[in-house]
Amino acid sequence: MLNIGCHLSSSKGYLAMGKAAVSINASTFQFFTRNPRGARAKALDPKDVSAFLEYAREHRIEKILAHAPYTLNAASADQGIRQFARNTMADDLERLEHTPGNCYNFHPGSHVGQGTETGISHIASMLNQLLRPDHTTTVLLETMAGKGSEIGREFEELREILDRVELSGHMGVCLDTCHVWDGGYDIAGHLDEVLNHFDHVIGLTRLKAVHLNDSQNPLGARKDRHAKIGRGHIGLEAMVRIVNHPALKHLPFYLETPNELDGYAQEILLLREHAG
Ligand code: FE
Ligand code: FE
Ligand code: ZN
């Protein structure tokens, strides 16, 4: 059965997210670990966490996906900004051990003119300082649209980061359909070729999650503007092929489309109807 969910607000805690997910027939969900702009996280409420873990077992909520604040930049030229990214991620990884065995997704970062090579070495060095053998969370690099000086548009860049991380068994990749499309990978016209290329460069075993978004922009636009499923340039047919593709269908899919809860419910229903 299709394992699908959407991005939910974490402001009311874990149990509230679990209940919201179940209410829209989702089997998983994504959430920001804190305000997406990167402010301080609220203290974890152990009662909320244990109530959620029990609820998740009862309602068969699959692995969930935490998303780091998108303003973090581990590749920055500014040492203070890199330090902030490292501290925030260290705190996130600590907190996530209270809900063990899930995934944590982050945007690799922007090299802001230093060049991809320098950016990649900053990112890998942060990960090497943060990852510990006893962590149970899998850390995912998100494929990016390539706007500005974003690292992670080309699969090769992600491979390069993975290669430099010592505990790379703790790492994986999250494929964002809007981002790869905007980045120039034609997942609407040539899905098999794109996935073969991914397999060749990174390895499909590294792929742990999919952000399922349509795009407001044409192939290669490097813009990163998500559209509702079937309302963008990728289109419904391609979305359906993606959720049914033999290389992808076992993965969790997360909608990050411009919707409130009822809109997400409709998209989940639509995709479940089309899932083989
Ligand atoms: Fe993201
Ligand atoms: Fe995404
Ligand atoms: Zn995006």
Side-chain angles (χ1 to χ4, degrees):
M1 200 164 92
L2 181 62
N3 183 9
I4 190 167
C6 65
H7 188 91
L8 293 173
S9 162
S10 53
S11 64
K12 295 198 177 96
Y14 279 102
L15 183 60
M17 290 191 283
K19 288 182 171 172
V22 167
S23 80
I24 57 171
N25 201 15
S27 47
T28 182
F29 60 87
Q30 175 181 265
F31 62 101
F32 283 125
T33 51
R34 61 191 70 219
N35 177 305
R37 301 206 144 272
R40 277 189 63 164
K42 275 195 304 191
L44 271 193
D45 171 2
K47 277 193 195 133
D48 176 50
V49 171
S50 60
F52 165 71
L53 290 174
E54 193 183 329
Y55 185 85
R57 263 193 309 275
E58 276 167 18
H59 292 85
R60 297 179 190 283
I61 295 175
E62 304 270 346
K63 258 185 205 206
I64 54 174
L65 178 58
H67 194 309
Y70 49 73
T71 47
L72 294 191
N73 188 6
S76 175
D78 180 314
Q79 128 106 43
I81 292 174
R82 293 200 305 273
Q83 177 89 39
F84 179 72
R86 186 163 72 228
N87 293 344
T88 303
M89 231 182 254
D91 184 49
D92 281 351
L93 288 173
E94 215 52 63
R95 294 156 58 89
L96 288 171
E97 287 305 311
H98 294 269
T99 50
N102 291 308
C103 289
Y104 177 59
N105 173 73
F106 78 104
H107 296 179
S110 297
H111 66 69
V112 289
Q114 307 166 90
T116 310
E117 165 62 28
T118 304
I120 285 175
S121 69
H122 286 319
I123 297 162
S125 108
M126 178 192 72
L127 290 165
N128 282 327
Q129 291 171 62
L130 288 180
L131 296 181
R132 291 202 320 253
D134 59 308
H135 282 154
T136 65
T137 302
T138 304
V139 177
L140 308 184
L141 301 166
E142 183 168 352
T143 60
M144 301 309 294
K147 81 176 142 30
S149 63
E150 266 174 2
I151 294 167
R153 181 185 70 79
E154 291 185 348
F155 298 159
E156 285 81 356
E157 295 167 1
L158 300 178
R159 170 62 191 261
E160 189 63 36
I161 297 169
L162 294 172
D163 278 349
R164 294 188 196 194
V165 174
E166 284 147 36
L167 293 172
S168 84
H170 290 226
M171 300 286 306
V173 172
C174 173
L175 186 144
D176 186 308
T177 55
C178 169
H179 297 178
V180 294
W181 170 263
D182 281 27
Y185 293 106
D186 185 4
I187 49 170
H190 296 94
L191 180 59
D192 282 333
E193 288 89 334
V194 173
L195 292 176
N196 282 338
H197 183 60
F198 186 100
D199 194 31
H200 181 73
V201 174
I202 299 176
L204 280 167
T205 54
R206 291 284 192 181
L207 186 55
K208 305 295 183 192
V210 176
H211 284 164
L212 195 67
N213 304 305
D214 212 324
S215 173
Q216 291 184 22
N217 291 289
L219 179 67
R222 303 207 188 180
K223 285 287 204 317
D224 188 4
R225 303 272 296 170
H226 302 187
K228 295 184 188 196
I229 302 301
R231 310 276 182 84
H233 286 256
I234 302 175
L236 180 61
E237 252 182 70
M239 289 290 161
V240 169
R241 278 199 299 273
I242 288 165
V243 298
N244 286 317
H245 195 283
L248 305 175
K249 58 189 290 189
H250 62 287
L251 293 169
F253 293 92
Y254 301 90
L255 300 162
E256 300 176 310
T257 45
N259 278 305
E260 302 294 329
L261 205 56
D262 57 339
Y264 280 133
Q266 287 171 32
E267 290 187 345
I268 289 170
L269 180 65
L270 175 73
L271 290 159
R272 287 201 185 286
E273 281 171 357
H274 284 90

